[in-house]
Amino acid sequence: MDSSCGAGSLGRVCSFSLTSPFPFLLDLLPPGVCNLLNPAAIYANNEISLGDVEIYGFDYDYTLAQYSNLLHSMIFNTARDILIEQFKYPEGLGKYDYIPGFAIRGLHYDVQKSLLMKIDAFHYVQLGTAYRGLKPVPDEEVIELYGGTQHIPLYQMSDFYGKGPSLKQFMDIFSLPEMTLLSSVIDYFITHGIEFDQVHLYKDISDAIRDVHVKGVMYKWIEKDMEQYILHGDEIYAVLNRLVNHKKKLFLITNSPFSFVDKGMKHMVGKNWRDLFDMVIVQADKPNFFTDRRKPFRKLDDKGSLQWDKINQLEKGKIYKEGNLFDFLRLTGWRGSKVLYFGDHLYSDLADLMLRHGWRTGAIVPELETEIRIINTEQYMHSLTWQQALTGLLERMQMYQDAESKQVLLEWMKERQEIRSLTKNLFNPQFGSIFRTFHNPTYFSRRLVRFSDIYMASISCLLNYDVNFTFYPRRTPLQHEAPLWMDQLCTGCMKTPFLEEMVHIR
């Protein structure tokens, strides 16, 4: 334990070490605060009653079908070999392997500067999370690269679908191996003093990753060993069967091909899985499916072969390819808040449905489970509590301007920054939490709140709630409301209502 004391107007000051926290910190934590959050819970951004939902829609990959992390290594290795064999990149790249846990979802990549970084909801780069290749870029260099600021102007940021003029946001789980490959290739070129064109490199890697998907390589791996790659299949059957038994209509809209979806659903749900669904649409080409009226639906026979009939109705038990949402709405009449659609990609799956069409949306965020388990640890809670205490002290005591007090304030600021960095590393040593920068929500979190009514770690979380359950988002204080919250601790931590009930959700 390290401790330091400062005198002057501020009185006695003690510093804090995460490795062995002072016993007094335990007194700052309310009873039961560790293990407070349930990883199997569903969290609400917007009030929604499941009793009002008549129709449930689902994406397939990473929504109904959750995949093992082994898939990331396979995608990385195959795309790396495509770069070497087809794009004639240096054979030395073959020495690079996938690094589990290097990147997190939601990062931005500045193509011209070759920077992979985390940006908060206010367009500021989180210092300490900018990487060129596999090495961090000093904060001073990051600030210099952006004209003396951490701020990224709006015109440079991602557009509605995460593809800005110079910045690309990686939003789906399949992008984890892409970010790691991008960083590995840049690391090789920098290490070996090889000059490269940033735009061509980014495009080549994107094309190599795309080939793994488009040419069906990934589908073949999964089909050959579904036990190894597909997780929680039995729970998916329980969710779907329960909804059907309560007279809910179900549909599936996925970009994956029918043969792949059919084999996966048979593995998870059984050979009669199609009996559970009123509509099944494959190779939908989302997000274009939600915005482009030009592609008509085409029917597939039971073997997956295309039929030529004009589609005037969508029949239960039939399989359809492509199409568009406008024809879907016209043929089904399924509109507005009686429809709840689940997907893992905030842009491709959810954004248009919520903002343009008024459907209710549910985001599947597998990372939520791991992050909640970290939040529930004593180490995290001690760290957060002490950060809040220091922040409150800094805010209230900055009025003291004598030399000794100023020195103490500087020490507190340094200690606060050290604790924030240690807290970030609990989630990911390079980039921290998917949901937060040091204190602000991430850009990913901003989109999650904007595009989803509810979010959860997996679709199986629905099993923990009655089919008529109403989700009420907790009223959290706006900054000007915070002093009015009577149960606010002196440290700034907020008590959560219904503490005991939440612990026993599952």
Side-chain angles (χ1 to χ4, degrees), residues 17 65 70 81 105 115 185 265 293 297 367 435 441 475 481:
S17 169
L70 294 171
D81 294 344
R105 215 163 29 129
L115 281 185
V185 174
M265 290 299 289
R293 299 171 180 264
F297 283 107
E367 299 95 335
F435 300 104
R475 182 185 174 96
E481 297 175 328

Side-chain angles (χ1 to χ4, degrees), residues 281 283-284 289 292-299 306 309-311 314 320-324 327 330-331:
I281 299 165
Q283 292 177 273
F289 179 89
D292 191 341
R293 299 171 180 264
R294 291 174 294 179
K295 285 187 179 179
F297 283 107
R298 298 190 66 176
K299 189 186 296 184
L306 281 172
D309 351 10
K310 183 176 180 178
I311 305 302
L314 297 175
Y320 298 92
K321 177 183 176 181
E322 297 177 343
N324 63 82
D327 284 345
R330 177 176 57 84
L331 294 171

Side-chain angles (χ1 to χ4, degrees), residues 410-434:
L410 287 174
E411 291 175 3
W412 281 352
M413 291 172 67
K414 180 182 177 183
E415 183 172 1
R416 176 174 175 259
Q417 185 59 36
E418 290 172 352
I419 297 172
R420 290 165 82 183
S421 296
L422 287 167
T423 307
K424 181 206 83 170
N425 293 343
L426 293 175
F427 295 95
N428 177 283
Q430 292 74 236
F431 301 102
S433 167
I434 185 177

Side-chain angles (χ1 to χ4, degrees), residues 129-142:
T129 67
Y131 276 69
R132 182 178 289 117
L134 297 173
K135 296 181 176 61
V137 178
D139 295 344
E140 299 78 12
E141 184 178 341
V142 173

Side-chain angles (χ1 to χ4, degrees), residues 295-308:
K295 285 187 179 179
F297 283 107
R298 298 190 66 176
K299 189 186 296 184
L300 302 180
D301 64 18
D302 290 340
K303 295 181 180 179
S305 300
L306 281 172
Q307 304 298 291
W308 300 100

